[in-house]
Amino acid sequence: MENLLLLHGALGAATMLEPLKQALAESYNVYTLNFAGHGGNALLEQGYSIELFAQNVVDFMRDRQLEQVHIFGYSMGGYVGLYLAQQYPGLIKSVFTLATKFAWSEETAAKEVKMLNPDKIKEKVPQFAAMLAQHHAPQLWEQVMHKTAAMMQQLGKQPVLTPDILAQLQLPVQVAVGDQDTMVSLEETIAAYRNLPNGRLLVLPATKHPLETIAVSRLAQEINLFLAHTPASIPA
């Protein structure tokens, strides 16, 4: 069977992808991992970065002797997947992104960072705070959030995926977004799609940004449809 790696988003953890992993397990060898400083992994002194998370994937693949994988990446996980495809084209066979933000600038980063206030989250959405605490224990989710905010500010200053880089990617890529996503616009997703030489676009109706708002069966079906039309192999 083909290897499929599921990558979680910012503030996320591998456990959030477990239902999708189970739904796809009969069709693929499905893997998940926690990025550095997520899902209970030790918080490193160094800051978070797309480059660091990409190296986490490379190390994960080498440890398990995975020569090539397809990637499904939710939100930031999709950004990491595309960066991997650019840096290590022989490792990645295809990338399916969902709710991935492509339009990074200092202005958009500031807007995202403004929402990453642990004190306000505890006050206004305590259920979300409790979920983050559960996913990242024994580490403090507040520290995970602060490091994520710093990474977003850096992305705003220097995005690692530019239109020129997207235009270099020859592998099959499907970019998906919900039509009610308030964090990732349809416009920026379409712009990314148009820059991809072998890109496909999927707009999910009545769908918001949070992964848990999307039916697992629907998402698994879309992944199956996408992978059914990808090449059987790529040059190593």
Side-chain angles (χ1 to χ4, degrees), residues 100-116:
T100 293
K101 186 159 194 64
F102 293 99
W104 285 102
S105 65
E106 293 191 52
E107 181 181 357
T108 59
K111 180 181 176 182
E112 297 298 323
V113 168
K114 188 177 180 179
M115 295 186 290
L116 299 183

Side-chain angles (χ1 to χ4, degrees), residues 16-91:
M16 301 175 71
L17 293 163
E18 191 61 29
L20 182 60
K21 179 179 179 180
Q22 294 301 321
L24 294 164
E26 291 186 4
S27 302
Y28 313 98
N29 299 315
V30 189
Y31 301 88
T32 58
L33 77 154
N34 288 304
F35 291 129
H38 292 75
N41 284 341
L43 286 165
L44 306 178
E45 289 188 11
Q46 71 185 102
Y48 289 174
S49 68
I50 299 302
E51 295 88 346
L52 170 64
F53 298 152
Q55 188 60 51
N56 293 160
V57 174
V58 173
D59 293 342
F60 180 89
M61 291 181 62
R62 287 174 178 166
D63 288 346
R64 287 154 185 79
Q65 298 182 332
L66 303 177
E67 294 184 358
Q68 295 179 340
V69 298
H70 299 279
I71 286 181
F72 167 80
Y74 167 68
S75 195
M76 180 194 71
Y79 204 90
V80 174
L82 290 173
Y83 177 77
L84 275 163
Q86 192 258 338
Q87 292 290 316
Y88 306 94
L91 297 182

Side-chain angles (χ1 to χ4, degrees), residues 166-228:
L166 293 178
Q168 296 171 17
L169 299 178
Q170 298 298 321
L171 78 170
V173 177
Q174 178 154 290
V175 290
V177 66
D179 63 351
Q180 296 179 10
D181 194 325
T182 58
M183 295 181 67
V184 179
S185 70
L186 180 58
E187 290 75 17
E188 70 186 274
T189 307
I190 291 174
Y193 153 71
R194 286 176 172 163
N195 280 307
L196 292 162
N198 197 5
R200 303 172 202 177
L201 174 68
L202 174 65
V203 180
L204 297 170
T207 300
K208 299 180 180 180
H209 186 81
L211 181 64
E212 59 270 19
T213 64
I214 306 171
V216 172
S217 58
R218 171 69 190 280
L219 189 50
Q221 180 185 34
E222 294 294 350
I223 292 171
N224 281 322
L225 286 171
F226 170 65
L227 293 181

Side-chain angles (χ1 to χ4, degrees), residues 133-156:
Q134 180 181 7
H135 283 308
H136 298 295
Q139 310 303 330
L140 295 177
W141 68 268
E142 296 92 337
Q143 294 184 20
V144 175
M145 185 165 285
H146 288 314
K147 285 181 172 289
T148 299
M151 179 185 69
M152 288 181 175
Q153 289 174 324
Q154 182 58 35
L155 275 176

